[in-house]
Amino acid sequence: MQKPKKEKLGQILLKNRIITEEQLQQALERQRQTGESLGRVLIEMKMVSEGALTSILARQIGLRYVDLANYDVDISASSLIDAETARRYTLIPIGFENDKLLVAMADPTNVFALDDVRIMTGMEIEPVVATKEDIMSAINRYCRTDADMDISMEEFVEQVSEEVGEAEVEEAPIVKYVNLLITEAVNDRASDVHIEPMENDVRIRFRIDGVLHEIRRNPKQIHPGVVARIKVMADMNIAEKRLPQDGRTSVEVMGKKVDLRVASLPTIHGEKVVLRILDKSASLMSLEELGFSEDALDKYSRSFNKPYGAIMVTGPTGSGKTTTLYATLNVLNTIKKNIITVEDPVEYRLPLINQVQVHYKAGLTFAAALRSILRCDPDIVMIGEIRDPESAKIAIESALTGHLVLSTLHTNDAPSALTRLLEMGIEPFLIASAVDCVSSQRLARRLCERCKEPYEPDEEYLEKIGFVWDDEDEHVLYRPRGCPACNNTGFRGRVGIFEVLEVTESIEYLVARNAPHVEIAEMAKSEGMRTLREEGFAKVREGITSLDEVLRVIM
């Protein structure tokens, strides 16, 4: 008897109406050019999600598909194997079913993996299928490496004394605890770790997507040892506890190098330590990935593609100004351009770019550095921040003498930047001639794609806050709900909201006659500038973020 012919992946996807015949032909053409598997080509061309493809393939081989991001993993099951084994085979135990261990696998046909897990756990295995991305995310959350296992807080407190010397700092419990803390922060996508001594305990908080979350409270006895360990790592003075200090270090987390900026601050209950986790991938983001709308990006791009002039990026602390400047430099960075930056501190190291670290004790201020670098024949100058009239004056003069100058200012919106320069004593006609563009920005949390839920908003409330629908919009918005993929916050990641003001002839005229920023703002809006609030509302209509989140970051 002849075996039934096995259906090909393309036929299965067509039958299930996941792709069209036209999309299949495009994917097959790409496959012939690249030699990759059809599944990988379809995912890269965004015709099908990895989850949908994995679900179809699981059904084809007769196994169950599990969406791990929305699955409540049993910690007693995930702890049965170590993280190294889990990563080697891309699998994780997620629960128990009919006296069998339920194991989520990216490749359920790997018999060696099944045998190893069976031997390690002493249980029969029931494999289910999940995406590789979801499995790796679950491993990072639920599995720990052998080095991190068995850190008992009781043992820790016993072994850490109040007086900690440099030699004692290297003892295993402290080292393990600090390593575990950093690993946990990286896995949770935290940008900052706050170690804060309270009256009776130590509070650990992570800043995730711009919002602080309390992670745990530990006994007060561990605080001196943890602070001393971090100071040793960052090459800081462990004996000095009365003055603030700064340091820097690099660690390896799951095979990836992570840079940390460390700051200590004496408080009434002891030294508070903040670790800033510097994500190098942020410095490599494109301007499109940051969240610029098409119109705003066109205006911004026209400005930085000119050979000279000043571009100001404004916004409060933590609004992503430096990331925007780095993304701009990545576009401009070629072997034909001499790019010099003056920063405090240098957060990301960029190839081909000359980066200068400000050193106030040695007398290397922003103004002093700027005066020197202008003698080094730069094409493009980036100033981390304009803080004083002297550096503002040099920046504006540099823009007028053939240099492209990029810098940041602390103002609430784009038109205010022009009046801030006036307040710094720069002549109005110089500002009008030198400044080409001002971009103001905020960072809003992105709604989690897996759990965001639609709702019909109250039209009266929308009218009150000035929210208007576009003609083609369905009157539906999205709000956060919370799921395991986003740690039940309803948000995952952040998106930039940008207000871009192009300095046109009419705005030059207003600046030259010292017009108030309200008048400049009205003129910019009449010429097509969308305000921060309007840009934020556009992202709400697109379902990228929520209405409450936009109102939180933009008053």
Side-chain angles (χ1 to χ4, degrees):
M1 186 176 169
Q2 195 176 7
K3 280 187 179 179
K5 195 175 179 183
K6 191 177 178 183
E7 284 187 297
K8 292 185 176 178
L9 175 62
Q11 295 169 328
I12 296 168
L13 294 172
L14 282 175
K15 188 190 287 184
N16 286 276
R17 296 183 178 178
I18 291 172
I19 60 171
T20 63
E21 181 70 45
E22 186 185 350
Q23 286 176 318
L24 177 60
Q25 293 307 319
Q26 288 173 2
L28 289 170
E29 179 61 34
R30 171 79 74 86
Q31 185 194 20
R32 279 191 286 273
Q33 293 170 4
T34 63
E36 293 179 312
S37 68
L38 179 61
R40 181 50 51 195
V41 168
L42 287 165
I43 291 168
E44 286 174 359
M45 293 180 77
K46 293 185 167 52
M47 291 179 179
V48 61
S49 70
E50 191 173 352
L53 185 65
T54 307
S55 174
I56 289 286
L57 294 172
R59 214 179 311 153
Q60 193 181 6
I61 59 175
L63 289 177
R64 191 174 12 142
Y65 169 74
V66 172
D67 181 2
L68 269 189
N70 294 311
Y71 191 90
D72 192 10
V73 173
D74 188 332
I75 296 175
S76 62
S78 63
S79 62
L80 290 174
I81 68 168
D82 60 86
E84 190 182 342
T85 303
R87 288 196 184 92
R88 185 165 70 245
Y89 293 128
T90 318
L91 57 79
I92 182 171
I94 58 172
F96 304 94
E97 199 172 271
N98 302 325
D99 295 328
K100 290 184 178 180
L101 182 64
L102 209 60
V103 179
M105 305 179 69
D107 179 11
T109 61
N110 188 337
V111 290
F112 297 108
L114 290 167
D115 285 344
D116 276 6
V117 175
R118 190 179 292 114
I119 292 164
M120 287 176 73
T121 61
M123 297 186 70
E124 283 301 308
I125 307 301
E126 179 71 33
V128 294
V129 183
T131 67
K132 183 177 180 180
E133 183 186 357
D134 283 351
I135 290 172
M136 295 310 291
S137 179
I139 291 169
N140 291 339
R141 184 176 299 170
Y142 299 109
C143 296
R144 294 182 297 178
T145 59
D146 287 336
D148 294 330
M149 298 293 274
D150 304 322
I151 300 180
S152 157
M153 196 50 66
E154 288 78 13
E155 287 177 31
F156 194 179
V157 172
E158 281 173 23
Q159 293 189 40
V160 178
S161 60
E162 284 291 345
E163 295 299 320
V164 182
E166 191 165 349
E168 291 172 291
V169 166
E170 296 301 327
E171 287 182 9
I174 302 173
V175 175
K176 283 183 182 178
Y177 180 80
V178 172
N179 290 347
L180 187 60
L181 196 63
I182 294 168
T183 303
E184 192 178 348
V186 171
N187 289 340
D188 287 350
R189 301 175 298 104
S191 60
D192 300 86
V193 178
H194 292 246
I195 301 164
E196 302 168 311
M198 301 286 106
E199 189 174 358
N200 300 312
D201 53 22
V202 180
R203 181 172 66 184
I204 308 295
R205 292 193 292 173
F206 291 172
R207 188 178 294 279
I208 302 169
D209 294 334
V211 177
L212 279 169
H213 300 270
E214 185 170 317
I215 303 301
R216 69 173 68 86
R217 295 213 176 205
N218 290 143
K220 186 72 177 279
Q221 296 95 310
I222 77 167
H223 178 254
V226 171
V227 171
R229 169 61 188 163
I230 292 169
K231 282 184 170 182
V232 168
M233 289 170 66
D235 199 22
M236 294 157 70
N237 182 358
I238 66 167
E240 180 56 77
K241 300 177 182 179
R242 298 165 300 171
L243 295 174
Q245 293 186 66
D246 292 305
R248 193 180 184 114
T249 186
S250 294
V251 294
E252 197 166 292
V253 178
M254 296 175 298
K256 184 174 77 172
K257 192 178 177 185
V258 176
D259 288 342
L260 302 173
R261 211 171 74 213
V262 184
S264 70
L265 182 72
T267 71
I268 56 170
H269 297 302
E271 285 182 283
K272 172 182 169 127
V273 175
V274 178
L275 307 177
R276 165 65 58 89
I277 298 169
L278 301 174
D279 180 8
K280 288 188 176 178
S281 62
S283 68
L284 300 173
M285 289 178 77
S286 68
L287 291 165
E288 290 82 3
E289 288 172 316
L290 294 179
F292 274 96
S293 64
E294 195 174 331
D295 181 54
L297 185 57
D298 283 346
K299 290 179 180 177
Y300 186 67
S301 299
R302 276 199 295 273
S303 298
F304 70 69
N305 281 313
K306 292 177 182 176
Y308 55 85
I311 297 172
M312 301 291 165
V313 178
T314 78
T317 301
S319 59
K321 301 186 295 294
T322 305
T323 303
T324 301
L325 288 181
Y326 278 128
T328 309
L329 288 180
N330 280 332
V331 178
L332 299 169
N333 191 7
T334 68
I335 200 71
K336 295 178 180 179
K337 299 274 177 68
N338 178 20
I339 303 175
I340 305 179
T341 74
V342 187
E343 302 169 66
D344 181 26
V346 174
E347 291 196 5
Y348 305 105
R349 314 286 165 88
L350 300 177
L352 300 181
I353 292 179
N354 308 283
Q355 295 173 276
V356 178
Q357 167 80 52
V358 169
H359 196 307
Y360 290 103
K361 286 181 183 175
L364 185 59
T365 61
F366 275 106
L370 278 171
R371 281 195 300 271
S372 300
I373 66 175
L374 289 175
R375 293 193 287 271
C376 295
D377 185 34
D379 297 298
I380 299 166
V381 177
M382 185 192 99
I383 308 165
E385 186 184 340
I386 290 179
R387 294 183 180 177
D388 54 71
E390 191 180 1
S391 54
K393 186 170 183 289
I394 298 169
I396 293 297
E397 287 174 355
S398 304
L400 288 169
T401 54
H403 305 91
L404 180 63
V405 178
L406 296 98
S407 186
T408 69
L409 269 175
H410 285 284
T411 61
N412 289 328
D413 58 14
S416 300
L418 299 169
T419 50
R420 174 65 54 84
L421 290 170
L422 286 167
E423 289 164 10
M424 285 183 164
I426 310 300
E427 294 291 345
F429 67 90
L430 289 176
I431 299 169
S433 304
V435 180
D436 275 327
C437 173
V438 183
S439 172
S440 183
Q441 68 182 73
R442 299 290 187 278
L443 285 177
R445 291 179 293 172
R446 283 181 184 270
L447 285 167
C448 174
E449 288 296 328
R450 294 180 183 271
C451 70
K452 66 179 183 182
E453 60 181 12
Y455 73 102
E456 289 187 24
D458 177 18
E459 294 293 337
E460 193 177 317
Y461 174 67
L462 295 184
E463 190 178 339
K464 183 181 172 184
I465 62 172
F467 184 97
V468 291
W469 296 101
D470 285 344
D471 294 338
E472 67 275 10
D473 283 338
E474 291 181 36
H475 288 210
V476 174
L477 300 181
Y478 290 85
R479 62 187 171 198
R481 191 176 77 224
C483 68
C486 58
N487 287 333
N488 294 311
T489 61
F491 297 96
R492 187 172 176 84
R494 288 192 286 178
V495 64
I497 298 170
F498 298 88
E499 170 185 281
V500 179
L501 182 153
E502 257 190 315
V503 180
T504 59
E505 282 187 21
S506 49
I507 289 174
E508 275 187 35
Y509 171 72
L510 290 176
V511 174
R513 69 176 180 83
N514 214 344
H517 93 275
V518 176
E519 202 174 323
I520 296 170
E522 287 303 318
M523 176 61 75
K525 281 189 268 187
S526 72
E527 292 182 342
M529 181 189 84
R530 290 211 300 184
T531 64
L532 280 167
R533 183 169 278 220
E534 288 167 345
E535 287 281 353
F537 286 164
K539 286 182 167 53
V540 171
R541 287 194 294 270
E542 292 168 33
I544 294 171
T545 187
S546 72
L547 198 55
D548 288 343
E549 179 65 10
V550 167
L551 295 175
R552 180 182 74 85
V553 298
I554 303 166
M555 296 304 293

PDB file of all heavy atoms in Angstrom, residues 11 37 47 56 114 139 153 156 226 240 243 324 355-356 359 371 476 478 519:
ATOM      1  N   GLN A  11       2.160  24.328   1.294  1.00  0.00           N
ATOM      2  CA  GLN A  11       0.792  23.844   1.075  1.00  0.00           C
ATOM      3  C   GLN A  11      -0.031  23.907   2.358  1.00  0.00           C
ATOM      4  O   GLN A  11      -1.205  24.274   2.338  1.00  0.00           O
ATOM      5  CB  GLN A  11       0.839  22.397   0.549  1.00  0.00           C
ATOM      6  CG  GLN A  11       1.483  22.274  -0.828  1.00  0.00           C
ATOM      7  CD  GLN A  11       1.764  20.827  -1.194  1.00  0.00           C
ATOM      8  OE1 GLN A  11       2.050  19.999  -0.329  1.00  0.00           O
ATOM      9  NE2 GLN A  11       1.680  20.522  -2.484  1.00  0.00           N
ATOM     10  N   SER A  37      15.862  28.032   4.839  1.00  0.00           N
ATOM     11  CA  SER A  37      14.622  27.245   4.873  1.00  0.00           C
ATOM     12  C   SER A  37      13.440  28.167   4.597  1.00  0.00           C
ATOM     13  O   SER A  37      13.485  29.372   4.872  1.00  0.00           O
ATOM     14  CB  SER A  37      14.447  26.580   6.237  1.00  0.00           C
ATOM     15  OG  SER A  37      14.195  27.554   7.229  1.00  0.00           O
ATOM     16  N   MET A  47       5.820  37.560   6.913  1.00  0.00           N
ATOM     17  CA  MET A  47       4.562  37.032   6.374  1.00  0.00           C
ATOM     18  C   MET A  47       3.864  36.140   7.386  1.00  0.00           C
ATOM     19  O   MET A  47       2.658  35.914   7.314  1.00  0.00           O
ATOM     20  CB  MET A  47       4.838  36.244   5.088  1.00  0.00           C
ATOM     21  CG  MET A  47       5.272  37.107   3.930  1.00  0.00           C
ATOM     22  SD  MET A  47       5.602  36.126   2.462  1.00  0.00           S
ATOM     23  CE  MET A  47       6.055  37.404   1.296  1.00  0.00           C
ATOM     24  N   ILE A  56       1.960  25.438  13.577  1.00  0.00           N
ATOM     25  CA  ILE A  56       1.625  24.613  12.395  1.00  0.00           C
ATOM     26  C   ILE A  56       2.535  23.387  12.322  1.00  0.00           C
ATOM     27  O   ILE A  56       2.089  22.257  12.100  1.00  0.00           O
ATOM     28  CB  ILE A  56       1.769  25.462  11.106  1.00  0.00           C
ATOM     29  CG1 ILE A  56       0.654  26.506  11.025  1.00  0.00           C
ATOM     30  CG2 ILE A  56       1.783  24.585   9.870  1.00  0.00           C
ATOM     31  CD1 ILE A  56      -0.708  25.962  10.675  1.00  0.00           C
ATOM     32  N   LEU A 114      16.167  14.588  24.904  1.00  0.00           N
ATOM     33  CA  LEU A 114      15.128  13.877  25.665  1.00  0.00           C
ATOM     34  C   LEU A 114      15.752  12.860  26.619  1.00  0.00           C
ATOM     35  O   LEU A 114      15.354  12.745  27.785  1.00  0.00           O
ATOM     36  CB  LEU A 114      14.155  13.178  24.705  1.00  0.00           C
ATOM     37  CG  LEU A 114      13.225  14.108  23.904  1.00  0.00           C
ATOM     38  CD1 LEU A 114      12.551  13.341  22.774  1.00  0.00           C
ATOM     39  CD2 LEU A 114      12.180  14.721  24.814  1.00  0.00           C
ATOM     40  N   ILE A 139      13.975  30.472  30.146  1.00  0.00           N
ATOM     41  CA  ILE A 139      15.204  29.992  30.796  1.00  0.00           C
ATOM     42  C   ILE A 139      15.835  31.118  31.607  1.00  0.00           C
ATOM     43  O   ILE A 139      16.236  30.933  32.753  1.00  0.00           O
ATOM     44  CB  ILE A 139      16.208  29.448  29.745  1.00  0.00           C
ATOM     45  CG1 ILE A 139      15.690  28.151  29.122  1.00  0.00           C
ATOM     46  CG2 ILE A 139      17.577  29.205  30.385  1.00  0.00           C
ATOM     47  CD1 ILE A 139      16.471  27.689  27.899  1.00  0.00           C
ATOM     48  N   MET A 153      20.047  33.135  52.030  1.00  0.00           N
ATOM     49  CA  MET A 153      20.199  34.433  52.684  1.00  0.00           C
ATOM     50  C   MET A 153      20.701  34.272  54.113  1.00  0.00           C
ATOM     51  O   MET A 153      21.454  35.090  54.618  1.00  0.00           O
ATOM     52  CB  MET A 153      18.850  35.173  52.656  1.00  0.00           C
ATOM     53  CG  MET A 153      18.964  36.652  52.959  1.00  0.00           C
ATOM     54  SD  MET A 153      20.229  37.536  51.990  1.00  0.00           S
ATOM     55  CE  MET A 153      19.552  37.427  50.355  1.00  0.00           C
ATOM     56  N   PHE A 156      24.339  33.749  53.917  1.00  0.00           N
ATOM     57  CA  PHE A 156      24.934  35.004  53.495  1.00  0.00           C
ATOM     58  C   PHE A 156      25.115  35.933  54.708  1.00  0.00           C
ATOM     59  O   PHE A 156      26.191  36.478  54.944  1.00  0.00           O
ATOM     60  CB  PHE A 156      23.998  35.643  52.455  1.00  0.00           C
ATOM     61  CG  PHE A 156      24.612  36.767  51.667  1.00  0.00           C
ATOM     62  CD1 PHE A 156      23.878  37.402  50.682  1.00  0.00           C
ATOM     63  CD2 PHE A 156      25.910  37.200  51.893  1.00  0.00           C
ATOM     64  CE1 PHE A 156      24.417  38.435  49.944  1.00  0.00           C
ATOM     65  CE2 PHE A 156      26.462  38.227  51.160  1.00  0.00           C
ATOM     66  CZ  PHE A 156      25.707  38.840  50.195  1.00  0.00           C
ATOM     67  N   VAL A 226      27.815  44.077  50.124  1.00  0.00           N
ATOM     68  CA  VAL A 226      27.381  44.272  48.731  1.00  0.00           C
ATOM     69  C   VAL A 226      27.974  45.565  48.173  1.00  0.00           C
ATOM     70  O   VAL A 226      28.498  45.589  47.053  1.00  0.00           O
ATOM     71  CB  VAL A 226      25.831  44.290  48.647  1.00  0.00           C
ATOM     72  CG1 VAL A 226      25.378  44.713  47.255  1.00  0.00           C
ATOM     73  CG2 VAL A 226      25.268  42.918  48.989  1.00  0.00           C
ATOM     74  N   GLU A 240      36.252  55.097  51.507  1.00  0.00           N
ATOM     75  CA  GLU A 240      35.560  56.393  51.537  1.00  0.00           C
ATOM     76  C   GLU A 240      34.050  56.186  51.516  1.00  0.00           C
ATOM     77  O   GLU A 240      33.482  55.719  50.520  1.00  0.00           O
ATOM     78  CB  GLU A 240      35.989  57.241  50.330  1.00  0.00           C
ATOM     79  CG  GLU A 240      35.335  58.613  50.265  1.00  0.00           C
ATOM     80  CD  GLU A 240      35.572  59.421  51.530  1.00  0.00           C
ATOM     81  OE1 GLU A 240      36.678  59.959  51.690  1.00  0.00           O
ATOM     82  OE2 GLU A 240      34.638  59.477  52.369  1.00  0.00           O
ATOM     83  N   LEU A 243      31.703  60.546  51.012  1.00  0.00           N
ATOM     84  CA  LEU A 243      31.586  61.368  49.807  1.00  0.00           C
ATOM     85  C   LEU A 243      31.003  60.553  48.648  1.00  0.00           C
ATOM     86  O   LEU A 243      31.250  59.347  48.554  1.00  0.00           O
ATOM     87  CB  LEU A 243      32.963  61.901  49.387  1.00  0.00           C
ATOM     88  CG  LEU A 243      33.648  62.866  50.353  1.00  0.00           C
ATOM     89  CD1 LEU A 243      35.056  63.177  49.873  1.00  0.00           C
ATOM     90  CD2 LEU A 243      32.840  64.157  50.489  1.00  0.00           C
ATOM     91  N   THR A 324      19.188  59.212  20.836  1.00  0.00           N
ATOM     92  CA  THR A 324      18.842  59.838  19.555  1.00  0.00           C
ATOM     93  C   THR A 324      20.088  60.408  18.885  1.00  0.00           C
ATOM     94  O   THR A 324      20.282  60.259  17.670  1.00  0.00           O
ATOM     95  CB  THR A 324      17.797  60.954  19.767  1.00  0.00           C
ATOM     96  OG1 THR A 324      16.629  60.383  20.358  1.00  0.00           O
ATOM     97  CG2 THR A 324      17.431  61.629  18.461  1.00  0.00           C
ATOM     98  N   GLN A 355      35.934  60.303  20.926  1.00  0.00           N
ATOM     99  CA  GLN A 355      35.073  60.669  22.052  1.00  0.00           C
ATOM    100  C   GLN A 355      35.908  61.217  23.210  1.00  0.00           C
ATOM    101  O   GLN A 355      36.870  60.584  23.643  1.00  0.00           O
ATOM    102  CB  GLN A 355      34.257  59.453  22.504  1.00  0.00           C
ATOM    103  CG  GLN A 355      33.270  58.991  21.434  1.00  0.00           C
ATOM    104  CD  GLN A 355      32.572  57.694  21.787  1.00  0.00           C
ATOM    105  OE1 GLN A 355      33.114  56.614  21.546  1.00  0.00           O
ATOM    106  NE2 GLN A 355      31.390  57.782  22.358  1.00  0.00           N
ATOM    107  N   VAL A 356      35.516  62.400  23.702  1.00  0.00           N
ATOM    108  CA  VAL A 356      36.251  63.076  24.774  1.00  0.00           C
ATOM    109  C   VAL A 356      35.410  63.047  26.043  1.00  0.00           C
ATOM    110  O   VAL A 356      34.235  63.415  26.020  1.00  0.00           O
ATOM    111  CB  VAL A 356      36.563  64.539  24.384  1.00  0.00           C
ATOM    112  CG1 VAL A 356      37.277  65.253  25.520  1.00  0.00           C
ATOM    113  CG2 VAL A 356      37.375  64.590  23.098  1.00  0.00           C
ATOM    114  N   HIS A 359      36.397  66.197  32.262  1.00  0.00           N
ATOM    115  CA  HIS A 359      37.085  65.934  33.535  1.00  0.00           C
ATOM    116  C   HIS A 359      37.208  67.259  34.280  1.00  0.00           C
ATOM    117  O   HIS A 359      38.152  68.031  34.072  1.00  0.00           O
ATOM    118  CB  HIS A 359      38.464  65.330  33.255  1.00  0.00           C
ATOM    119  CG  HIS A 359      39.093  64.673  34.447  1.00  0.00           C
ATOM    120  ND1 HIS A 359      39.254  65.324  35.661  1.00  0.00           N
ATOM    121  CD2 HIS A 359      39.612  63.423  34.631  1.00  0.00           C
ATOM    122  CE1 HIS A 359      39.834  64.517  36.515  1.00  0.00           C
ATOM    123  NE2 HIS A 359      40.056  63.342  35.916  1.00  0.00           N
ATOM    124  N   ARG A 371      36.812  74.326  22.795  1.00  0.00           N
ATOM    125  CA  ARG A 371      37.829  75.222  22.239  1.00  0.00           C
ATOM    126  C   ARG A 371      38.967  74.423  21.612  1.00  0.00           C
ATOM    127  O   ARG A 371      39.495  74.787  20.562  1.00  0.00           O
ATOM    128  CB  ARG A 371      38.374  76.155  23.340  1.00  0.00           C
ATOM    129  CG  ARG A 371      37.456  77.319  23.665  1.00  0.00           C
ATOM    130  CD  ARG A 371      38.192  78.386  24.473  1.00  0.00           C
ATOM    131  NE  ARG A 371      38.694  77.857  25.744  1.00  0.00           N
ATOM    132  CZ  ARG A 371      38.002  77.844  26.880  1.00  0.00           C
ATOM    133  NH1 ARG A 371      36.772  78.326  26.896  1.00  0.00           N
ATOM    134  NH2 ARG A 371      38.521  77.359  27.993  1.00  0.00           N
ATOM    135  N   VAL A 476     -11.608  52.638  18.473  1.00  0.00           N
ATOM    136  CA  VAL A 476     -11.163  51.639  19.451  1.00  0.00           C
ATOM    137  C   VAL A 476      -9.739  51.968  19.866  1.00  0.00           C
ATOM    138  O   VAL A 476      -8.880  52.244  19.021  1.00  0.00           O
ATOM    139  CB  VAL A 476     -11.219  50.203  18.859  1.00  0.00           C
ATOM    140  CG1 VAL A 476     -10.619  49.203  19.832  1.00  0.00           C
ATOM    141  CG2 VAL A 476     -12.647  49.814  18.520  1.00  0.00           C
ATOM    142  N   TYR A 478      -6.439  50.861  22.854  1.00  0.00           N
ATOM    143  CA  TYR A 478      -5.935  49.693  23.580  1.00  0.00           C
ATOM    144  C   TYR A 478      -5.416  50.109  24.946  1.00  0.00           C
ATOM    145  O   TYR A 478      -4.932  51.224  25.130  1.00  0.00           O
ATOM    146  CB  TYR A 478      -4.811  49.010  22.781  1.00  0.00           C
ATOM    147  CG  TYR A 478      -5.308  48.329  21.525  1.00  0.00           C
ATOM    148  CD1 TYR A 478      -5.456  49.045  20.339  1.00  0.00           C
ATOM    149  CD2 TYR A 478      -5.650  46.989  21.534  1.00  0.00           C
ATOM    150  CE1 TYR A 478      -5.925  48.437  19.184  1.00  0.00           C
ATOM    151  CE2 TYR A 478      -6.114  46.362  20.386  1.00  0.00           C
ATOM    152  CZ  TYR A 478      -6.256  47.092  19.219  1.00  0.00           C
ATOM    153  OH  TYR A 478      -6.731  46.479  18.096  1.00  0.00           O
ATOM    154  N   GLU A 519       4.727  82.479  20.783  1.00  0.00           N
ATOM    155  CA  GLU A 519       4.557  82.970  19.405  1.00  0.00           C
ATOM    156  C   GLU A 519       5.310  82.077  18.417  1.00  0.00           C
ATOM    157  O   GLU A 519       4.810  81.776  17.329  1.00  0.00           O
ATOM    158  CB  GLU A 519       5.070  84.413  19.332  1.00  0.00           C
ATOM    159  CG  GLU A 519       4.498  85.208  18.172  1.00  0.00           C
ATOM    160  CD  GLU A 519       4.921  86.669  18.208  1.00  0.00           C
ATOM    161  OE1 GLU A 519       5.018  87.239  19.319  1.00  0.00           O
ATOM    162  OE2 GLU A 519       5.158  87.235  17.123  1.00  0.00           O
TER     163      GLU A 519
END
